[in-house]
Structures are given as C-alpha cells and as structure tokens.
C-alpha cells in the first residue's frame, strides 16, 4: 500500500498565517500538522508517500525533506492549481500505479491514528472505504448515507439538506478502481474534481464502498478555532519532560515540556504546555494548553490556550487567551505606553481587552 497526502490548497480560512506559510505546516503541540499526519501513515506500515503540493511546494519540501527522518520515502507531486481532491488522484496516477493507497488530507488530525481504519480496509477490501464521524453541522463536509453492514449508499459534498450526520473525514482508502472514477466525473459547481463525486460514481457502478466510524478525536485544522481545540487535545496527551533550564523561583504544575536550550525564570507554568527549544520565559504565567514555538520570548506576560509560532514575542501583556501569533510577531507593552499601537497586516484580527 502507498499513501497520497494532499498538501495543496490556499488555506484561506487560516489567514493571515497562510499568506506566508502552508496551512499544513502550522504547528499544533509544536509539531506541524503535516508531521502528525505522516506519523500516522508510518504507524500503519506504509513507507512510500506521495505529497501533492501547490504554491507552498518549496517550503513543504524544505521542512519535510525526503522523509528519511520519519522512516518514509517521499515523492513530491506538483499540482499547478487547486483543482480538487479528485484531481490530485489524477496527477498521482503514475506514482500510485495499481496499488491500494490511503489518501490523507494534510490538514486533518486524527489523534489516535488510522490503524483501526486500515485494518478494516485490509480485512474487507472494498473498492473504496471512507472514514466518517458524527458531527453537529454536516453541511460543511462530505456527508455519507450508510446502510447496514457499513455499506455506503450515497455520498454528497456539502449538502444543503444532509440526509445523515456522518461527515466524511479526510482519510480515504482506495483500490486502483478509483482511477477510472476520477476520470469519469465532471468538475463540480465550485469547479473542482470532487473525490466525493468519484466515490459516488463507484457506488453507482455497483462497487462496494464502505464506511468506518472513527471513534477517536478528529479535527480539520483549517480554521483558528479548530486549530486551538486540536492544540488543547494533543497537549492533553503530553508527559512532563524538562530538557531545558528552569530556575528555582519557577513553579511547574501539571504536564510541562521544556525543550533543550529553553530557559524559564521566575515563572509559573501550568501544564499541559510545551516550551520550544531556545525559548525564553521570564516573570510570566503560561498555560494551560499553550504551545510556545522555538526561540519565542515571553516576558512579564500571562498567556493561556494559545499557540505562539517560532520566534514570537510577548512582552508585558496579559491576559492573552485563545490567540495565535505568527512567526516572529511581537505583542509588547513597554512601560509608559498609554494607547494601543497596532501595525496589523492583511487579514489579521486583533481583539483588545
Ligand atoms: C474536504 C472534502 C470533504 C471532507 C473534508 C474533511 O472538504 O471535500 O468531503 O468532509 O475535506 O476535512 P474541504 O476541506 O476541501 O472543504
């Protein structure tokens, strides 16, 4: 079995971060979403991975490399325009050959991995298998109507009137039958070749398509609130590991990770949280549910339930909650400051208390 990871897309819902970086590289619990995904693939024993990349191709290749660090062999496949998930299968035809493959959307996080779904596919070996989960508002997803025996009766992409509450999660298992299907369907109203339509085509052809219900945590990290929730859930799984320097005047409570080269001085750290390598925390209250990326500086501040990307600076501000700070961004309050002074780039949001 091979894997096809989709890492194109514009990430419009995660602006402004995605003006300058791929949404799949945004870190949760200090690890890029895409790495969480590749680890899940490795954990089911798949090593040949094709990653479909778009505008952020170079950045993704630089960050992930040839995959050898993760025990994978990665091939990058360039998609010239975001023409849909079905189109990704079309351009990966040669890479995939006639092998079975798992297709994984690079912005989806499945905290407990995909082993259960992989086993179900191997045991039953339908033409295709989707993974579904119950959601409150299915209208923003592909929606599956599933009959007895886990057989899919119908799949509809973002229906206005959903006929079930089962959303299709971004992990699909395919046999080579999908290749004819993606070529048989026309582009949708939004101008994309929808994988959902191709799978429906298999159903219409009388092929068996099954659905397995995902019991663990799943999140599509394409939006800020989803990203922060995912960060909380993944941090809830960390265990204390102090590899950096923590002084005598600091108090650590709950699961706290302090990476190599990080320094914590006169601060209260309430886990779960992670402090990235080279970060400096001084006279501050951090956590719970906070990820500080590498080389961040937090001084005289109070931050909870937030993600600071590499090199971000918080100085003299707080309380900061449910916030996302991009790489090298600075939020400071020098002594004597009497008004908010903002230099806010395109599509940023700032809420001041
Ligand atoms: C895509 C799929 C949709 C699926 C969702 C899961 O939607 O088209 O069927 O439910 O991923 O994250 P998109 O995120 O491209 O709108």
């Amino acid at each position: 079995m091979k894997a096809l990871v989709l890492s194109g897309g514009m990430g419009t819902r995660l602006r402004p971060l995605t003006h300058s970086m791929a949404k799949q590289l945004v870190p949760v619990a200090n690890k890029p979403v895409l790495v969480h995904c590749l680890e899940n693939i490795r954990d089911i024993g798949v090593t040949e991975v094709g990653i479909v990349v778009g505008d952020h191709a170079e950045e993704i290749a630089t960050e992930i490399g040839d995959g050898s660090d993760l025990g994978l062999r990665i091939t990058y496949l360039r998609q010239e325009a975001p023409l849909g998930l079905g189109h990704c299968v079309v351009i990966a035809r040669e890479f995939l050959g006639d092998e079975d493959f798992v297709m994984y959307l690079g912005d989806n996080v499945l905290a407990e991995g995909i082993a259960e779904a992989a086993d179900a596919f191997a045991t039953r070996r339908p033409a295709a298998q989707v993974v579904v989960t119950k959601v409150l508002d299915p209208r923003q997803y592909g929606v599956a109507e599933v009959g007895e025996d886990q057989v899919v009766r119908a799949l509809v992409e973002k229906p206005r009137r959903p006929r079930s509450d089962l959303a299709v999660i971004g992990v699909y298992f395919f046999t080579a039958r999908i290749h004819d299907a993606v070529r048989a369907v026309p582009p949708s109203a939004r101008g994309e070749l929808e994988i959902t339509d191709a799978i429906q085509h298999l159903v219409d052809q009388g092929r068996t398509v099954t659905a397995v219900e995902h019991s663990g945590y799943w999140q599509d990290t394409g939006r800020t609130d989803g990203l922060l929730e995912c960060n909380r859930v993944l941090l809830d799984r960390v265990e204390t590991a102090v590899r950096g320097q923590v002084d005598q005047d600091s108090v650590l409570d709950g699961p706290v990770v302090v990476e190599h080269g990080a320094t914590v001085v006169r601060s209260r750290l309430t886990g779960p949280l992670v402090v990235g390598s080279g970060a400096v925390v001084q006279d501050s209250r951090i956590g719970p549910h906070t990820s500080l990326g590498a080389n961040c500086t937090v001084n005289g501040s109070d931050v909870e339930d937030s993600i600071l990307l590499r090199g971000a600076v918080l100085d003299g501000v707080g309380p900061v909650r449910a916030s996302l700070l991009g790489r090298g961004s600075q939020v400071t309050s020098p002594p004597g400051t009497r008004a908010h002074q903002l230099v806010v780039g395109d599509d940023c949001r700032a809420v001041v208390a």
Side-chain angles (χ1 to χ4, degrees):
M1 176 176 259
K2 291 185 176 176
L4 186 64
V5 174
L6 309 193
S7 275
M10 315 277 278
T12 44
R13 292 169 291 190
L14 259 194
R15 284 176 181 165
L17 290 187
T18 45
H19 281 310
S20 54
M21 72 187 295
K23 64 173 168 175
Q24 298 84 4
L25 294 182
V26 174
V28 277
N30 275 9
K31 199 189 279 182
V33 174
L34 185 55
V35 174
H36 290 282
C37 148
L38 293 171
E39 287 178 349
N40 283 350
I41 289 169
R42 178 199 57 199
D43 291 348
I44 60 163
V46 172
T47 52
E48 281 288 334
V49 182
I51 304 186
V52 176
V53 287
D55 288 348
H56 293 287
E58 223 170 283
E59 191 198 3
I60 291 173
T62 304
E63 179 86 21
I64 306 295
D66 65 1
S68 49
D69 289 357
L70 291 159
L72 301 172
R73 268 199 307 274
I74 292 176
T75 304
Y76 292 96
L77 305 162
R78 183 68 202 247
Q79 187 185 30
E80 294 303 332
L83 296 174
L85 308 184
H87 180 253
C88 294
V89 176
V90 173
I91 65 170
R93 180 69 179 100
E94 202 181 316
F95 165 78
L96 293 166
D98 284 329
E99 271 190 62
D100 290 355
F101 64 101
V102 54
M103 183 171 101
Y104 202 131
L105 308 189
D107 60 355
N108 274 232
V109 170
L110 288 84
E112 282 78 22
I114 56 170
E116 233 175 274
D119 287 346
F121 178 72
T123 307
R124 195 156 180 190
R125 215 156 167 287
Q129 173 187 283
V130 293
V131 182
V132 296
T133 194
K134 286 199 170 80
V135 293
L136 287 176
D137 184 4
R139 289 173 302 178
Q140 40 183 330
Y141 301 106
V143 173
E145 257 181 78
V146 182
E148 273 166 43
D149 241 13
Q150 272 66 55
V151 171
V152 172
R153 303 269 178 261
L155 272 189
V156 189
E157 185 63 25
K158 302 187 178 73
R160 261 200 240 144
R161 285 198 202 87
R163 310 247 320 244
S164 92
D165 58 357
L166 293 174
V168 175
I169 289 179
V171 177
Y172 312 76
F173 292 82
F174 293 120
T175 61
R177 295 229 183 260
I178 195 66
H179 297 298
D180 289 337
V182 288
R183 280 183 173 75
V185 294
S188 65
R190 61 171 172 172
E192 296 188 7
L193 265 190
E194 306 286 349
I195 197 67
T196 309
D197 294 344
I199 301 170
Q200 177 64 45
H201 183 78
L202 289 176
V203 173
D204 294 340
Q205 299 280 301
R207 306 283 174 209
T208 305
V209 175
T210 54
V212 291
E213 200 165 333
H214 180 66
S215 49
Y217 178 75
W218 163 70
Q219 184 61 256
D220 170 346
T221 61
R223 262 179 311 226
T224 317
D225 50 352
L227 200 64
L228 289 172
E229 182 194 286
C230 192
N231 187 54
R232 291 195 292 274
V233 170
L234 294 188
L235 285 176
D236 279 334
R237 289 160 164 75
V238 304
E239 286 171 18
T240 296
V242 178
R243 293 181 269 262
Q245 303 284 324
V246 179
D247 79 341
Q248 301 261 335
D249 299 325
S250 294
V251 179
L252 272 50
D253 185 17
V256 168
V257 177
V258 179
E259 292 294 1
H260 286 291
T263 317
V264 178
V265 180
R266 292 182 302 274
S267 295
R268 171 172 272 277
L269 270 50
T270 308
L273 63 83
V274 290
V275 178
S277 57
V280 178
V281 176
Q282 214 166 281
D283 301 306
S284 295
R285 297 168 63 96
I286 317 274
H289 295 120
T290 301
S291 299
L292 305 185
N295 302 319
C296 282
T297 304
V298 180
N299 186 34
S301 296
D302 167 2
V303 56
E304 177 183 329
D305 184 26
S306 295
I307 302 175
L308 273 65
L309 273 63
R310 160 166 104 227
V313 176
L314 267 186
D315 194 351
V317 287
V320 174
R321 302 287 182 266
S323 296
L324 198 52
L325 264 69
R327 295 174 294 193
S329 58
Q330 304 189 358
V331 182
T332 66
S333 180
T337 308
R338 306 199 40 191
H340 301 307
Q341 185 196 344
L342 307 167
V343 179
V344 176
D346 297 355
D347 304 313
C348 294
R349 292 178 296 284
V351 180
V352 294

